[in-house]
Protein backbone atom coordinates (compact mmCIF):
# COMPACT_ATOMS: atom_id res chain seq x y z
CA UNK A 1 0.00 0.00 0.00
CA UNK A 2 2.92 2.36 0.65
CA UNK A 3 4.05 1.90 -2.95
CA UNK A 4 0.58 2.78 -4.23
CA UNK A 5 0.37 5.91 -2.09
CA UNK A 6 3.91 6.89 -3.08
CA UNK A 7 3.07 6.51 -6.79
CA UNK A 8 -0.12 8.56 -6.42
CA UNK A 9 1.91 11.34 -4.84
CA UNK A 10 4.42 11.23 -7.67
CA UNK A 11 1.70 11.22 -10.34
CA UNK A 12 -0.07 14.17 -8.70
CA UNK A 13 3.01 16.32 -9.15
CA UNK A 14 4.20 14.98 -12.50
CA UNK A 15 3.56 16.07 -16.09
CA UNK A 16 1.65 12.86 -16.70
CA UNK A 17 -1.40 14.15 -14.81
CA UNK A 18 -1.68 17.07 -17.20
CA UNK A 19 -0.74 15.15 -20.34
CA UNK A 20 -3.20 12.29 -19.88
CA UNK A 21 -6.11 14.74 -19.81
CA UNK A 22 -4.98 17.68 -21.94
CA UNK A 23 -3.36 15.66 -24.76
CA UNK A 24 -6.25 13.27 -25.55
CA UNK A 25 -8.89 15.97 -25.04
CA UNK A 26 -7.14 18.28 -27.49
CA UNK A 27 -6.84 15.41 -29.97
CA UNK A 28 -10.52 14.54 -29.52
CA UNK A 29 -11.59 18.17 -29.96
CA UNK A 30 -9.33 18.83 -32.96
CA UNK A 31 -10.03 15.61 -34.88
CA UNK A 32 -13.67 15.58 -33.80
CA UNK A 33 -14.25 19.00 -35.33
CA UNK A 34 -12.07 18.21 -38.32
CA UNK A 35 -13.98 15.05 -39.27
CA UNK A 36 -17.42 15.92 -37.93
CA UNK A 37 -18.58 16.78 -41.46
CA UNK A 38 -16.38 14.27 -43.23
CA UNK A 39 -19.10 12.21 -44.87
CA UNK A 40 -19.36 13.27 -48.51
CA UNK A 41 -23.10 13.42 -49.09
CA UNK A 42 -22.82 14.68 -52.66
CA UNK A 43 -19.84 13.65 -54.77
CA UNK A 44 -19.07 16.07 -57.58
CA UNK A 45 -19.58 14.59 -61.04
CA UNK A 46 -19.23 15.92 -64.59
CA UNK A 47 -21.59 14.92 -67.39
CA UNK A 48 -20.67 14.74 -71.06
CA UNK A 49 -23.96 14.99 -72.96
CA UNK A 50 -23.48 14.08 -76.62
CA UNK A 51 -27.20 13.57 -77.23
CA UNK A 52 -28.55 17.05 -76.41
CA UNK A 53 -32.10 15.71 -76.24
CA UNK A 54 -34.88 16.47 -73.79
CA UNK A 55 -34.52 12.95 -72.37
CA UNK A 56 -30.79 13.41 -71.71
CA UNK A 57 -31.56 16.65 -69.88
CA UNK A 58 -34.19 14.86 -67.79
CA UNK A 59 -31.69 12.13 -66.96
CA UNK A 60 -29.09 14.72 -65.92
CA UNK A 61 -31.67 16.34 -63.63
CA UNK A 62 -32.37 12.97 -62.00
CA UNK A 63 -28.65 12.36 -61.50
CA UNK A 64 -28.26 15.79 -59.93
CA UNK A 65 -31.29 15.14 -57.70
CA UNK A 66 -29.58 12.12 -56.14
CA UNK A 67 -28.46 12.80 -52.55
CA UNK A 68 -25.07 11.26 -53.38
CA UNK A 69 -24.21 13.18 -56.58
CA UNK A 70 -23.91 16.81 -57.57
CA UNK A 71 -23.51 17.65 -61.27
CA UNK A 72 -21.00 20.48 -61.39
CA UNK A 73 -20.57 20.81 -65.18
CA UNK A 74 -22.24 19.54 -68.35
CA UNK A 75 -20.19 19.40 -71.58
CA UNK A 76 -21.76 19.00 -74.99
CA UNK A 77 -18.83 17.27 -76.68
CA UNK A 78 -16.52 14.46 -75.72
CA UNK A 79 -13.44 15.46 -73.73
CA UNK A 80 -10.58 13.50 -72.23
CA UNK A 81 -11.77 12.31 -68.77
CA UNK A 82 -8.24 12.54 -67.42
CA UNK A 83 -8.27 16.26 -68.21
CA UNK A 84 -11.63 16.75 -66.51
CA UNK A 85 -10.52 14.91 -63.36
CA UNK A 86 -7.04 16.43 -63.23
CA UNK A 87 -7.81 19.34 -60.90
CA UNK A 88 -9.92 17.29 -58.45
CA UNK A 89 -13.02 19.35 -59.13
CA UNK A 90 -14.96 16.12 -59.66
CA UNK A 91 -14.58 12.43 -58.84
CA UNK A 92 -16.47 10.93 -61.78
CA UNK A 93 -17.39 11.58 -65.40
CA UNK A 94 -20.74 10.31 -66.74
CA UNK A 95 -20.97 9.96 -70.53
CA UNK A 96 -24.37 10.08 -72.26
CA UNK A 97 -23.92 8.83 -75.86
CA UNK A 98 -25.50 10.12 -79.05
CA UNK A 99 -29.03 9.00 -79.97
CA UNK A 100 -29.81 8.25 -76.31
CA UNK A 101 -33.25 9.88 -76.52
CA UNK A 102 -34.01 8.21 -79.85
CA UNK A 103 -33.06 4.78 -78.51
CA UNK A 104 -35.23 5.42 -75.45
CA UNK A 105 -38.27 6.04 -77.64
CA UNK A 106 -37.55 2.98 -79.77
CA UNK A 107 -36.89 0.70 -76.79
CA UNK A 108 -33.29 0.02 -77.81
CA UNK A 109 -30.69 -0.66 -75.13
CA UNK A 110 -28.02 2.03 -74.66
CA UNK A 111 -24.73 1.93 -72.77
CA UNK A 112 -24.06 4.82 -70.39
CA UNK A 113 -20.46 5.13 -69.23
CA UNK A 114 -19.20 6.31 -65.84
CA UNK A 115 -15.49 6.83 -65.23
CA UNK A 116 -14.51 7.23 -61.57
CA UNK A 117 -11.32 8.59 -60.06
CA UNK A 118 -10.32 6.02 -57.43
CA UNK A 119 -7.16 7.85 -56.33
CA UNK A 120 -8.98 8.74 -53.11
CA UNK A 121 -11.65 6.05 -52.60
CA UNK A 122 -13.32 8.07 -49.83
CA UNK A 123 -14.47 10.59 -52.45
CA UNK A 124 -16.58 7.91 -54.14
CA UNK A 125 -18.67 7.16 -51.06
CA UNK A 126 -22.11 6.06 -52.23
CA UNK A 127 -21.62 7.08 -55.85
CA UNK A 128 -21.70 3.52 -57.21
CA UNK A 129 -24.92 2.76 -55.39
CA UNK A 130 -26.41 6.11 -56.40
CA UNK A 131 -25.84 5.73 -60.14
CA UNK A 132 -27.14 2.15 -60.06
CA UNK A 133 -30.29 3.33 -58.28
CA UNK A 134 -30.88 6.06 -60.87
CA UNK A 135 -30.41 3.66 -63.80
CA UNK A 136 -32.49 0.92 -62.19
CA UNK A 137 -35.33 3.31 -61.39
CA UNK A 138 -35.21 4.67 -64.92
CA UNK A 139 -35.29 1.16 -66.41
CA UNK A 140 -38.30 0.17 -64.31
CA UNK A 141 -40.15 3.39 -65.17
CA UNK A 142 -39.58 2.94 -68.90
CA UNK A 143 -40.54 -0.73 -68.80
CA UNK A 144 -43.75 -0.08 -66.86
CA UNK A 145 -44.69 2.76 -69.24
CA UNK A 146 -44.40 0.46 -72.25
CA UNK A 147 -46.32 -2.34 -70.54
CA UNK A 148 -49.08 0.06 -69.54
CA UNK A 149 -49.27 1.27 -73.13
CA UNK A 150 -49.88 -2.34 -74.18
CA UNK A 151 -52.89 -2.61 -71.90
CA UNK A 152 -51.49 -4.28 -68.78
CA UNK A 153 -52.60 -3.12 -65.35
CA UNK A 154 -50.15 -1.37 -62.99
CA UNK A 155 -49.56 -4.33 -60.63
CA UNK A 156 -48.87 -6.76 -63.47
CA UNK A 157 -46.57 -4.23 -65.13
CA UNK A 158 -44.65 -3.73 -61.90
CA UNK A 159 -44.32 -7.49 -61.38
CA UNK A 160 -42.91 -7.99 -64.87
CA UNK A 161 -40.63 -4.95 -64.87
CA UNK A 162 -39.37 -5.33 -61.29
CA UNK A 163 -40.25 -8.72 -59.77
CA UNK A 164 -37.74 -8.21 -56.94
CA UNK A 165 -37.00 -5.02 -55.05
CA UNK A 166 -34.09 -4.52 -52.70
CA UNK A 167 -34.32 -2.52 -49.48
CA UNK A 168 -31.02 -1.86 -47.79
CA UNK A 169 -30.16 -0.20 -44.51
CA UNK A 170 -26.78 0.82 -43.15
CA UNK A 171 -26.44 -0.16 -39.50
CA UNK A 172 -24.42 1.44 -36.66
CA UNK A 173 -22.70 4.06 -38.88
CA UNK A 174 -25.27 5.05 -41.50
CA UNK A 175 -23.50 8.27 -42.51
CA UNK A 176 -20.04 6.63 -42.82
CA UNK A 177 -18.63 9.09 -40.32
CA UNK A 178 -14.88 8.90 -39.67
CA UNK A 179 -15.41 9.91 -36.04
CA UNK A 180 -16.51 6.40 -35.12
CA UNK A 181 -13.30 4.70 -36.20
CA UNK A 182 -10.51 6.98 -37.40
CA UNK A 183 -10.88 9.81 -34.85
CA UNK A 184 -11.43 7.38 -31.97
CA UNK A 185 -8.33 5.54 -33.17
CA UNK A 186 -6.25 8.72 -33.12
CA UNK A 187 -7.40 9.50 -29.57
CA UNK A 188 -6.64 5.95 -28.45
CA UNK A 189 -3.15 6.18 -29.96
CA UNK A 190 -2.45 9.44 -28.12
CA UNK A 191 -3.56 7.86 -24.83
CA UNK A 192 -1.52 4.72 -25.53
CA UNK A 193 1.60 6.77 -26.22
CA UNK A 194 1.25 8.84 -23.01
CA UNK A 195 0.31 5.95 -20.73
CA UNK A 196 2.93 3.44 -21.89
CA UNK A 197 5.65 6.07 -21.68
CA UNK A 198 4.63 7.14 -18.18
CA UNK A 199 4.13 3.61 -16.83
CA UNK A 200 7.31 2.44 -18.52
CA UNK A 201 9.28 5.08 -16.64
CA UNK A 202 8.30 3.78 -13.19
CA UNK A 203 11.09 1.24 -12.66
CA UNK A 204 13.93 3.26 -14.32
CA UNK A 205 12.92 6.25 -12.18
CA UNK A 206 12.85 4.25 -8.95
CA UNK A 207 16.14 2.58 -9.82
CA UNK A 208 17.84 5.93 -10.38
CA UNK A 209 16.44 7.24 -7.09
CA UNK A 210 17.48 4.09 -5.24
CA UNK A 211 13.88 3.40 -4.18
CA UNK A 212 13.11 0.31 -6.25
CA UNK A 213 12.71 -1.94 -3.21
CA UNK A 214 12.24 0.76 -0.60
CA UNK A 215 8.80 -0.60 0.38
CA UNK A 216 9.70 -4.27 0.22
CA UNK A 217 11.04 -6.82 -2.24
CA UNK A 218 7.72 -8.28 -3.26
CA UNK A 219 6.74 -7.97 -6.97
CA UNK A 220 3.44 -6.61 -5.65
CA UNK A 221 5.18 -3.38 -4.63
CA UNK A 222 6.11 -2.74 -8.27
CA UNK A 223 2.92 -4.13 -9.80
CA UNK A 224 0.58 -1.95 -7.75
CA UNK A 225 2.26 1.24 -8.96
CA UNK A 226 0.50 0.83 -12.32
CA UNK A 227 -2.91 1.42 -10.72
CA UNK A 228 -2.82 5.28 -10.79
CA UNK A 229 -2.02 5.24 -14.50
CA UNK A 230 -4.84 2.79 -15.21
CA UNK A 231 -7.37 4.88 -13.26
CA UNK A 232 -6.40 8.19 -14.89
CA UNK A 233 -6.26 6.61 -18.36
CA UNK A 234 -9.77 5.24 -17.89
CA UNK A 235 -11.15 8.63 -16.83
CA UNK A 236 -9.35 10.39 -19.69
CA UNK A 237 -10.70 7.99 -22.34
CA UNK A 238 -14.25 8.26 -21.00
CA UNK A 239 -14.04 12.06 -21.09
CA UNK A 240 -12.69 11.97 -24.66
CA UNK A 241 -15.47 9.69 -25.87
CA UNK A 242 -18.03 11.97 -24.24
CA UNK A 243 -16.45 14.98 -25.95
CA UNK A 244 -16.52 13.22 -29.34
CA UNK A 245 -20.18 12.40 -28.82
CA UNK A 246 -20.95 16.08 -28.21
CA UNK A 247 -18.56 17.69 -30.70
CA UNK A 248 -18.20 15.12 -33.47
CA UNK A 249 -21.61 13.48 -33.25
CA UNK A 250 -20.06 10.10 -32.48
CA UNK A 251 -22.49 7.25 -31.92
CA UNK A 252 -22.12 5.86 -28.39
CA UNK A 253 -24.92 3.57 -27.24
CA UNK A 254 -23.42 1.83 -24.20
CA UNK A 255 -24.10 3.09 -20.69
CA UNK A 256 -20.96 4.84 -19.37
CA UNK A 257 -21.17 3.12 -15.97
CA UNK A 258 -21.02 -0.26 -17.75
CA UNK A 259 -18.44 0.65 -20.38
CA UNK A 260 -16.07 1.90 -17.69
CA UNK A 261 -15.51 -1.74 -16.67
CA UNK A 262 -13.87 -2.93 -19.93
CA UNK A 263 -12.23 0.48 -20.23
CA UNK A 264 -10.48 0.06 -16.88
CA UNK A 265 -9.45 -3.52 -17.72
CA UNK A 266 -7.89 -2.21 -20.95
CA UNK A 267 -6.16 0.70 -19.19
CA UNK A 268 -4.77 -1.67 -16.57
CA UNK A 269 -3.44 -4.04 -19.24
CA UNK A 270 -1.88 -1.09 -21.09
CA UNK A 271 -0.25 0.29 -17.94
CA UNK A 272 1.22 -3.10 -17.02
CA UNK A 273 2.50 -3.57 -20.57
CA UNK A 274 4.21 -0.18 -20.35
CA UNK A 275 5.70 -1.19 -17.01
CA UNK A 276 7.06 -4.40 -18.55
CA UNK A 277 8.47 -2.65 -21.62
CA UNK A 278 10.39 -0.10 -19.59
CA UNK A 279 11.52 -2.38 -16.76
CA UNK A 280 15.05 -3.03 -18.05
CA UNK A 281 15.60 0.43 -19.53
CA UNK A 282 18.79 2.02 -18.27
CA UNK A 283 17.15 5.40 -17.84
CA UNK A 284 13.84 7.15 -18.48
CA UNK A 285 14.97 8.55 -21.84
CA UNK A 286 15.17 5.04 -23.31
CA UNK A 287 11.56 4.19 -22.53
CA UNK A 288 9.97 6.21 -25.35
CA UNK A 289 11.94 4.30 -27.97
CA UNK A 290 10.71 1.01 -26.57
CA UNK A 291 7.07 2.05 -26.60
CA UNK A 292 7.24 2.26 -30.40
CA UNK A 293 7.13 -1.55 -30.46
CA UNK A 294 3.58 -1.27 -29.15
CA UNK A 295 2.61 2.06 -30.72
CA UNK A 296 3.13 1.32 -34.42
CA UNK A 297 1.58 -2.18 -34.49
CA UNK A 298 -1.39 -0.81 -32.55
CA UNK A 299 -1.84 1.93 -35.13
CA UNK A 300 -1.55 -0.38 -38.12
CA UNK A 301 -3.11 -3.69 -37.18
CA UNK A 302 -5.91 -3.06 -34.67
CA UNK A 303 -8.60 -1.63 -36.92
CA UNK A 304 -8.15 2.15 -36.88
CA UNK A 305 -8.19 2.78 -40.62
CA UNK A 306 -8.85 -0.70 -42.00
CA UNK A 307 -10.88 -3.59 -40.72
CA UNK A 308 -8.57 -6.26 -39.24
CA UNK A 309 -10.28 -8.72 -41.60
CA UNK A 310 -8.45 -6.97 -44.46
CA UNK A 311 -5.09 -8.25 -43.14
CA UNK A 312 -3.64 -11.74 -43.62
CA UNK A 313 -4.52 -14.16 -40.85
CA UNK A 314 -0.98 -14.04 -39.46
CA UNK A 315 -1.26 -10.30 -38.73
CA UNK A 316 -4.73 -10.74 -37.25
CA UNK A 317 -3.38 -13.31 -34.79
CA UNK A 318 -0.30 -11.18 -34.05
CA UNK A 319 -2.58 -8.31 -32.99
CA UNK A 320 -4.05 -10.45 -30.20
CA UNK A 321 -1.16 -9.52 -27.88
CA UNK A 322 -1.97 -5.80 -28.23
CA UNK A 323 -4.45 -4.44 -25.67
CA UNK A 324 -5.69 -1.84 -28.14
CA UNK A 325 -6.90 -4.58 -30.49
CA UNK A 326 -9.43 -5.66 -27.89
CA UNK A 327 -10.35 -2.10 -26.95
CA UNK A 328 -11.25 -1.31 -30.55
CA UNK A 329 -13.37 -4.44 -30.72
CA UNK A 330 -15.14 -3.44 -27.51
CA UNK A 331 -15.78 0.05 -28.85
CA UNK A 332 -17.14 -1.22 -32.17
CA UNK A 333 -19.26 -3.80 -30.38
CA UNK A 334 -20.40 -2.65 -26.98
CA UNK A 335 -20.25 1.13 -27.54
CA UNK A 336 -21.45 1.43 -31.14
CA UNK A 337 -23.74 -1.60 -31.44
CA UNK A 338 -25.08 -1.37 -27.89
CA UNK A 339 -24.10 -4.90 -27.00
CA UNK A 340 -24.42 -6.27 -23.49
CA UNK A 341 -21.30 -6.58 -21.34
CA UNK A 342 -21.76 -10.35 -21.13
CA UNK A 343 -21.59 -10.63 -24.93
CA UNK A 344 -17.94 -9.57 -24.91
CA UNK A 345 -16.44 -12.13 -22.57
CA UNK A 346 -13.91 -13.03 -25.28
CA UNK A 347 -12.50 -9.50 -25.46
CA UNK A 348 -12.50 -9.09 -21.67
CA UNK A 349 -10.95 -12.53 -21.26
CA UNK A 350 -8.18 -11.64 -23.71
CA UNK A 351 -7.38 -8.45 -21.78
CA UNK A 352 -7.35 -10.34 -18.49
CA UNK A 353 -5.04 -12.91 -20.05
CA UNK A 354 -2.69 -10.12 -21.16
CA UNK A 355 -2.75 -8.76 -17.60
CA UNK A 356 -1.90 -12.20 -16.21
CA UNK A 357 0.93 -12.93 -18.64
CA UNK A 358 2.45 -9.46 -18.30
CA UNK A 359 2.18 -9.66 -14.50
CA UNK A 360 4.00 -13.00 -14.58
CA UNK A 361 6.88 -11.55 -16.59
CA UNK A 362 7.07 -8.52 -14.29
CA UNK A 363 7.24 -10.84 -11.29
CA UNK A 364 10.05 -12.87 -12.88
CA UNK A 365 12.01 -9.71 -13.68
CA UNK A 366 11.61 -8.45 -10.10
CA UNK A 367 12.73 -11.78 -8.64
CA UNK A 368 15.73 -11.88 -10.95
CA UNK A 369 16.75 -8.37 -9.96
CA UNK A 370 16.38 -9.25 -6.29
CA UNK A 371 18.89 -12.11 -6.70
CA UNK A 372 21.59 -9.97 -8.30
CA UNK A 373 23.09 -8.60 -5.05
CA UNK A 374 23.12 -12.13 -3.56
CA UNK A 375 24.97 -13.51 -6.57
CA UNK A 376 27.50 -10.69 -6.48
CA UNK A 377 28.02 -11.19 -2.72
CA UNK A 378 28.57 -14.97 -3.07
CA UNK A 379 31.07 -14.38 -5.89
CA UNK A 380 33.06 -11.87 -3.80
CA UNK A 381 33.15 -14.31 -0.82
CA UNK A 382 34.38 -17.24 -2.96
CA UNK A 383 37.13 -15.07 -4.46
Amino acid sequence: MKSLIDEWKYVAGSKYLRLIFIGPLIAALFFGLMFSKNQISESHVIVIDEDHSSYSRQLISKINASPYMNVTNVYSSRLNPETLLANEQAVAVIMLPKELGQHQQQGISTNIGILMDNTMPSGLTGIRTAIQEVIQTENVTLSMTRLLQKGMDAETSKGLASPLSLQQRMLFNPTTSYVGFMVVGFVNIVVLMITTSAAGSIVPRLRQEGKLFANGKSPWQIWVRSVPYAVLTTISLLLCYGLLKQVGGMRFEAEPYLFIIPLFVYAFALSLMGLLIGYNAKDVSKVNLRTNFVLYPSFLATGIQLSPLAFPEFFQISAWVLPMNWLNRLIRGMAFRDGALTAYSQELGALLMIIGVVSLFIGLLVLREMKKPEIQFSESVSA
Side-chain angles (χ1 to χ4, degrees):
M1 188 60 67
K2 289 183 179 180
S3 296
L4 180 58
I5 296 173
D6 180 59
E7 196 64 29
W8 272 113
K9 289 180 179 179
Y10 172 79
V11 169
S14 67
K15 294 180 180 179
Y16 170 75
L17 185 61
R18 297 188 296 272
L19 285 175
I20 194 59
F21 288 106
I22 296 176
L25 285 173
I26 290 176
L29 182 62
F30 175 77
F31 290 115
L33 291 173
M34 182 178 179
F35 290 101
S36 60
K37 303 297 182 182
N38 72 280
Q39 56 268 27
I40 301 175
S41 57
E42 290 190 342
S43 298
H44 291 180
V45 299
I46 293 174
V47 177
I48 297 178
D49 181 12
E50 296 182 319
D51 187 44
H52 317 302
S53 65
S54 60
Y55 177 70
S56 66
R57 289 191 291 271
Q58 292 176 14
L59 189 56
I60 293 172
S61 298
K62 291 178 180 179
I63 292 173
N64 191 45
S66 169
Y68 297 99
M69 292 183 290
N70 176 30
V71 178
T72 58
N73 287 293
V74 178
Y75 294 93
S76 58
S77 59
R78 182 168 298 190
L79 297 172
N80 188 349
E82 294 181 0
T83 303
L84 297 176
L85 299 174
N87 296 324
E88 298 187 356
Q89 299 302 312
V91 297
V93 176
I94 299 174
M95 304 181 69
L96 304 180
K98 296 178 180 179
E99 300 181 349
L100 174 65
Q102 183 179 347
H103 288 175
Q104 179 263 336
Q105 294 177 357
Q106 297 173 352
I108 300 175
S109 177
T110 305
N111 290 326
I112 295 176
I114 176 169
L115 306 172
M116 292 176 284
D117 182 3
N118 203 36
T119 305
M120 292 291 290
S122 59
L124 300 176
T125 303
I127 195 171
R128 295 181 180 90
T129 303
I131 193 66
Q132 289 174 359
E133 289 178 351
V134 171
I135 299 301
Q136 183 180 2
T137 302
E138 191 67 15
N139 285 337
V140 172
T141 302
L142 294 174
S143 299
M144 287 185 62
T145 301
R146 291 190 176 90
L147 291 174
L148 289 171
Q149 290 173 352
K150 292 183 178 181
M152 290 189 180
D153 60 273
E155 288 297 323
T156 304
S157 300
K158 184 177 180 181
L160 290 173
S162 180
L164 295 176
S165 60
L166 176 65
Q167 294 181 350
Q168 57 183 352
R169 181 183 177 188
M170 304 294 289
L171 299 177
F172 311 124
N173 188 13
T175 58
T176 317
S177 173
Y178 289 169
V179 176
F181 58 99
M182 186 176 291
V183 175
V184 169
F186 289 156
V187 171
N188 291 342
I189 283 293
V190 172
V191 172
L192 181 148
M193 180 174 57
I194 295 173
T195 300
T196 52
S197 297
S201 303
I202 293 175
V203 174
R205 186 191 79 238
L206 293 175
R207 192 181 288 117
Q208 286 181 342
E209 296 174 353
K211 299 179 180 179
L212 187 58
F213 299 117
N215 297 319
K217 295 186 177 181
S218 171
W220 162 262
Q221 301 297 333
I222 304 298
W223 185 87
V224 77
R225 288 180 178 271
S226 62
V227 172
Y229 302 93
V231 172
L232 294 176
T233 296
T234 302
I235 297 172
S236 176
L237 283 172
L238 201 60
L239 288 174
C240 289
Y241 298 157
L243 181 63
L244 287 176
K245 184 176 177 65
Q246 298 299 322
V247 175
M250 184 182 75
R251 179 189 181 95
F252 195 93
E253 301 296 332
E255 295 293 341
Y257 70 89
L258 287 178
F259 193 69
I260 201 171
I261 297 173
L263 207 57
F264 177 74
V265 176
Y266 160 76
F268 196 38
L270 186 65
S271 300
L272 287 174
M273 183 166 284
L275 181 62
L276 176 63
I277 290 172
Y279 189 92
N280 287 328
K282 293 182 179 180
D283 54 66
V284 176
S285 62
K286 304 293 183 181
V287 175
N288 291 335
L289 294 176
R290 295 190 176 193
T291 58
N292 291 333
F293 290 102
V294 176
L295 178 65
Y296 292 127
S298 296
F299 181 78
L300 296 173
T302 61
I304 293 178
Q305 294 178 308
L306 288 175
S307 168
L309 298 176
F311 300 116
E313 188 174 358
F314 169 77
F315 292 99
Q316 295 182 40
I317 296 174
S318 300
W320 291 355
V321 300
L322 301 172
M324 190 170 167
N325 176 63
W326 306 105
L327 173 66
N328 288 339
R329 291 178 60 162
L330 284 164
I331 291 174
R332 291 192 296 267
M334 186 175 175
F336 295 164
R337 302 186 185 111
D338 195 18
L341 182 62
T342 54
Y344 296 95
S345 57
Q346 179 182 354
E347 286 76 11
L348 291 172
L351 288 171
L352 291 173
M353 189 176 296
I354 292 174
I355 290 174
V357 173
V358 171
S359 298
L360 176 62
F361 279 109
I362 292 174
L364 293 175
L365 289 173
V366 172
L367 293 175
R368 189 182 70 172
E369 185 154 358
M370 288 168 52
K371 292 179 180 179
K372 285 182 179 180
E374 299 177 3
I375 296 174
Q376 293 174 357
F377 177 75
S378 61
E379 289 178 351
S380 61
V381 170
S382 61

